[in-house]
Amino acid sequence: MKQITLSDPLVLESGVSLENVKVGYHTFGSLNEDKSNVVWVFHALTGNSNPLEWWPEIVGKGKILDTDRYFVVCANMLGSCYGSTEPEDFEFPLITIRDQVKCFQQLLVHLEIKRVHIGIGGSMGGQQLLEWAVMKPKLFSHIIPIATNAVHSAWGIAFNETQRMAIQNDPNEGLATARAIAMLSYRHYQTFENTQTDKDFRSDTFSASSYQEYQGKKLKDRFSTYSYHYLSKAMDSQNVGRQVKNTETALSCIEAKTLVIGIDSDILFPTSEQQYLATHIPNATFAEIESTYGHDGFLVEHRQLSQLIKDFLEP
């Protein structure tokens, strides 16, 4: 991972200034002569800036986002614990999606890139992509927001607040509980039926129970409680219309050719949210992935996703 320190203070939407902000990032492949082969990948809430780890069937040599063809950039979002400035307690200022995008913008300048051929991201990463495409309409040639929204829903905020309640109740162990709660929104009824149903006649120690415990512990062992708290609040802040007081007007500013992708079983970011995006972004189309994995389908259904991206990018 590489890292830069922003030369100027970062003025947040709240008005608070952060000094010496660090942005961690990865790059793969090489810039071509006219710098027209840039792909910017946006990671999700607990992801990191190395998509070869969490999206290996999408990004890499010979994949649909071929690192032999494209110069791929992925930056660790402000507030994350994987290389960028992160909170160390509950006294960190509120950060928003727009604040995170401001960091990406300064990294773009550092890399001397003026235009991005493809921007792609799912979930919270998709929120950042949309915000940036509204802020800088001429930056992207193509954007692919996946399983995301223009305004975070009351449903999504309620899930996030419930997780933060678990963290605030027990800052040491609450992250595991928060993650277990989140899994209920990331997956789907059918996911659990297919993978965690017990075939015997047990009355306790259910597979679904141990699965939830495992997922909670796994995240607790690798992620920061404070980062999770503040990143979930940043996700809740998503509203591309905040600066212009109208979401539809904001989306109409996007000039990039757009493919909006939804997942038919996603209960956290339902396809109605992606259809709304496709309706109000000029030159946008909507496509749907069929999956029993719910919201996490964008990380799992790589064959469907690769084909949709291929069809979109082909002349």
Side-chain angles (χ1 to χ4, degrees):
M1 184 189 71
K2 306 167 188 176
Q3 189 182 68
I4 64 166
T5 301
L6 304 188
S7 56
D8 297 321
L10 179 69
V11 181
L12 305 177
E13 273 198 90
S14 65
V16 174
S17 293
L18 287 181
E19 304 279 348
N20 301 314
V21 171
K22 294 178 172 55
V23 181
Y25 68 100
H26 280 79
T27 64
F28 305 92
S30 302
L31 276 168
N32 58 13
E33 188 173 348
D34 60 359
K35 299 184 179 181
S36 63
N37 67 332
V38 177
V39 174
W40 200 291
V41 176
F42 298 78
H43 70 79
L45 176 71
T46 60
N48 60 43
S49 59
N50 186 358
L52 272 64
E53 291 182 0
W54 50 267
W55 233 4
E57 297 299 331
I58 300 296
V59 181
K61 293 180 181 295
K63 307 303 180 183
I64 189 65
L65 298 180
D66 191 344
T67 49
D68 284 337
R69 177 182 180 186
Y70 296 115
F71 180 66
V72 177
V73 181
C74 185
N76 186 236
M77 67 178 76
L78 174 66
S80 176
C81 55
Y82 287 134
S84 295
T85 294
E86 62 178 291
E88 297 179 352
D89 51 37
F90 288 123
E91 301 302 318
F92 200 72
L94 176 71
I95 53 176
T96 67
I97 296 295
R98 178 167 282 242
D99 295 331
Q100 293 169 329
V101 170
K102 286 180 181 178
C103 292
F104 299 156
Q105 182 65 29
Q106 294 201 41
L107 175 59
L108 186 85
V109 172
H110 171 77
L111 295 173
E112 299 182 339
I113 294 169
K114 298 188 182 301
R115 191 156 173 83
V116 176
H117 183 55
I118 305 166
I120 183 170
S123 192
M124 189 173 180
Q127 292 179 331
Q128 294 160 350
L129 170 58
L130 290 169
E131 181 70 29
W132 204 358
V134 168
M135 289 170 62
K136 300 291 182 180
K138 297 187 182 300
L139 176 61
F140 297 95
S141 297
H142 304 77
I143 63 170
I144 309 172
I146 308 166
T148 193
N149 52 22
V151 180
H152 205 44
S153 66
W155 173 249
I157 292 169
F159 261 112
N160 284 342
E161 184 62 27
T162 305
Q163 294 169 58
R164 289 190 294 267
M165 288 167 64
I167 288 171
Q168 291 159 359
N169 186 57
D170 186 346
N172 292 321
E173 299 296 331
L175 181 58
T177 303
R179 182 61 163 191
I181 294 167
M183 292 305 299
L184 300 177
S185 66
Y186 296 160
R187 299 296 173 89
H188 183 268
Y189 174 93
Q190 202 59 49
T191 318
F192 282 86
E193 286 296 292
N194 291 348
T195 63
Q196 304 302 325
T197 297
D198 297 304
K199 304 300 184 181
D200 53 24
F201 298 99
R202 69 183 67 183
S203 58
D204 199 1
T205 62
F206 299 105
S207 297
S209 301
S210 60
Y211 177 78
Q212 291 295 88
E213 292 171 0
Y214 166 76
Q215 290 293 344
K217 183 179 185 304
K218 187 169 71 168
L219 185 75
K220 180 180 178 293
D221 289 345
R222 74 170 177 87
F223 210 72
S224 157
T225 297
Y226 303 117
S227 287
Y228 198 88
H229 175 87
Y230 280 98
L231 292 184
S232 70
K233 291 185 77 68
M235 178 184 283
D236 291 351
S237 78
Q238 168 73 346
N239 190 327
V240 297
R242 184 179 295 119
Q243 305 302 317
V244 295
K245 308 302 182 185
N246 185 294
T247 304
E248 294 177 6
T249 298
L251 293 174
S252 72
C253 295
I254 295 176
E255 297 183 12
K257 183 180 178 183
T258 302
L259 173 65
V260 186
I261 300 176
I263 302 165
D264 65 351
S265 57
D266 192 341
I267 64 170
L268 185 58
F269 291 78
T271 55
S272 58
E273 295 187 328
Q274 292 88 60
Q275 290 167 344
Y276 176 86
L277 293 173
T279 297
H280 296 291
I281 297 174
N283 198 20
T285 56
F286 169 76
E288 186 174 85
I289 289 173
E290 295 180 0
S291 178
T292 60
Y293 284 94
H295 184 60
D296 275 353
F298 80 94
L299 297 171
V300 178
E301 306 290 356
H302 56 86
R303 289 186 180 87
Q304 290 185 67
L305 184 56
S306 295
Q307 187 62 52
L308 290 174
I309 296 171
K310 181 176 183 292
D311 293 344
F312 172 63
L313 296 177
E314 285 183 345

